[in-house]
Amino acid sequence: VGLIVIFSSEKIMDMVFGKFDFDDINDSSSFGARYYSIIGNIVIMFKNGFLLGTGIEHYSEIYRSVVNGLGYFTDMSNTNTIFVDFARFGWLVGGVNVYLVFRFSKKLGDNLAQRIGIMLSIFMLLFMESFTYSLFWMSIMYFSFDIFDKEKKNENSLSM
């Protein structure tokens, strides 16, 4: 029933599948914003502060000038959490955040297929929305460190 509703209305079709409209990449399309948040942040990563990043203070100005230079002049939304972290904070913090995604998927999945599925889902989420300042998101990611693993603590205390 849901598919019939989606495919019968052009407005709903545009809302659901508008993210994949490649024709207006330089307009204020959802796909354009996501595309330039990837390309713009990669340019910033390799141009400014490869190891330590640009920092928070000047990042917005640098991002705006980079994406304007690439031909994207409308919406300045930056939707890619992973590349924003690499560009803003450098490879050290960006690498730790990617490592946390691996650890988190390892904690949630029981086997390799589940872990890969969870990891890919999280990466897709992080590529599509900005969670840079989300305390909730970072709390979840830092939960994956072993210091919070009660089972491992109990095993270590029993073996002593």
Side-chain angles (χ1 to χ4, degrees), residues 31-121:
F31 177 75
R34 282 163 175 73
Y35 173 78
Y36 283 105
S37 72
I38 293 170
I39 301 300
N41 285 311
I42 289 174
V43 169
I44 292 170
M45 277 191 286
F46 289 106
K47 262 185 152 177
N48 305 308
F50 189 75
L51 186 60
L52 298 176
T54 63
I56 295 174
E57 187 174 343
H58 301 291
Y59 174 76
S60 294
E61 298 164 18
I62 294 169
Y63 178 76
R64 183 171 295 126
S65 70
V66 166
V67 295
N68 285 345
L70 293 171
Y72 188 64
F73 297 104
T74 55
D75 185 8
M76 285 299 137
S77 58
N78 197 349
T79 61
N80 194 316
T81 305
I82 293 174
F83 286 144
V84 168
D85 286 348
F86 276 103
R88 232 183 232 166
F89 307 119
W91 284 85
L92 182 64
V93 173
V96 167
N97 288 340
V98 169
Y99 173 74
L100 290 175
V101 171
F102 289 124
R103 294 286 304 180
F104 188 69
S105 63
K106 185 177 177 185
K107 281 202 174 289
L108 291 181
D110 293 330
N111 57 42
L112 184 62
Q114 286 180 348
R115 291 174 183 164
I116 290 172
I118 291 167
M119 185 180 58
L120 290 176
S121 298

